């Protein structure tokens, strides 16, 4: 009898909490959105590394975002200097909304004009980022922000 009651309570708990555990998309950003990337500091890189930038909406067309991009967002960018030109790869983007939700997305796209290579022709031995030069994130597919599990109880 106790085992059956425990099983019923377990199933009931799962049924009640399942919607909370689901990873629903909270914010969608379409490829036509205009996203600019602002470096957090002036940096000169001499090796492959990851930096953090502040993404911002740069006047996206109406309907390109399911809700406005939160003001407080960070994007990690891997900058590889192993080739003739630097390769910039977007990493995880995390945003905190005004109502304290923590959202996360993994953008697929290209980062352009964020910084510039310095050095001899044909090599990129140094890469310069400045807060005076904003880059762009050009999405290839829609970016879907999901609510972080640690934040779902709020």
């Amino acid at each position: 009898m106790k085992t059956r009651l425990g099983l019923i309570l377990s199933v009931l708990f799962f049924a009640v909490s399942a919607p909370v555990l689901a990873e629903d998309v909270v914010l969608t950003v379409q490829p036509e959105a205009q996203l600019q990337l602002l470096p957090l500091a002036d940096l000169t890189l001499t090796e492959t590394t990851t930096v953090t930038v502040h993404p911002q909406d740069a006047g996206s067309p109406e309907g390109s975002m399911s809700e406005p991009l939160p003001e407080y967002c960070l994007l990690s960018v891997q900058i590889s200097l192993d080739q003739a030109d630097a390769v910039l790869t977007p990493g995880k983007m995390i945003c905190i909304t005004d109502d304290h939700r923590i959202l996360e997305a993994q953008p697929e796209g290209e980062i352009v004009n964020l910084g510039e290579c310095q050095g001899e022709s044909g090599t990129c031995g140094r890469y310069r980022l400045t807060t005076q030069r904003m880059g762009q994130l050009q999405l290839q597919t829609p970016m879907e922000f999901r609510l972080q599990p640690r934040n779902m109880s709020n």
Side-chain angles (χ1 to χ4, degrees):
M1 182 74 161
K2 288 182 183 180
T3 304
R4 185 174 174 163
L5 180 60
L7 178 61
I8 291 171
L9 289 175
S10 295
V11 171
L12 182 59
F13 174 76
F14 180 77
V16 171
S17 64
V20 175
L21 297 174
E23 289 190 31
D24 293 330
V25 174
V26 176
L27 167 62
T28 302
V29 179
Q30 299 299 324
E32 59 271 12
Q34 302 295 311
L35 300 175
Q36 64 187 17
L37 305 175
L38 175 64
L40 300 179
D42 293 348
L43 298 169
T44 300
L45 309 173
T46 58
E47 62 187 12
T48 296
T49 192
T50 301
V51 299
T52 303
V53 297
H54 179 193
Q56 302 170 329
D57 182 8
S60 296
E62 188 173 331
S64 62
M65 295 185 199
S66 60
E67 66 180 71
L69 189 67
E71 180 181 350
Y72 304 104
C73 292
L74 294 174
L75 171 68
S76 63
V77 176
Q78 181 173 353
I79 302 176
S80 300
L81 301 181
D82 298 335
Q83 301 170 3
D85 198 9
V87 176
L88 283 68
T89 307
K92 190 182 298 184
M93 184 186 279
I94 297 177
C95 297
I96 301 175
T97 64
D98 289 338
D99 60 356
H100 306 287
R101 294 175 296 159
I102 300 172
L103 309 178
E104 182 177 304
Q106 181 67 48
E108 293 181 27
E110 182 179 8
I111 297 173
V112 296
N113 300 325
L114 184 59
E116 63 184 345
C117 282
Q118 297 176 332
E120 299 176 20
S121 179
T123 62
C124 186
R126 296 165 51 104
Y127 195 80
R128 181 78 177 141
L129 295 169
T130 70
T131 57
Q132 303 302 312
R133 181 176 178 170
M134 292 190 193
Q136 293 83 37
L137 173 60
Q138 298 173 343
L139 296 173
Q140 296 169 344
T141 61
M143 181 170 47
E144 297 180 335
F145 284 89
R146 298 185 186 278
L147 189 62
Q148 286 298 289
R150 64 183 170 270
N151 198 46
M152 288 185 173
S153 62
N154 295 337

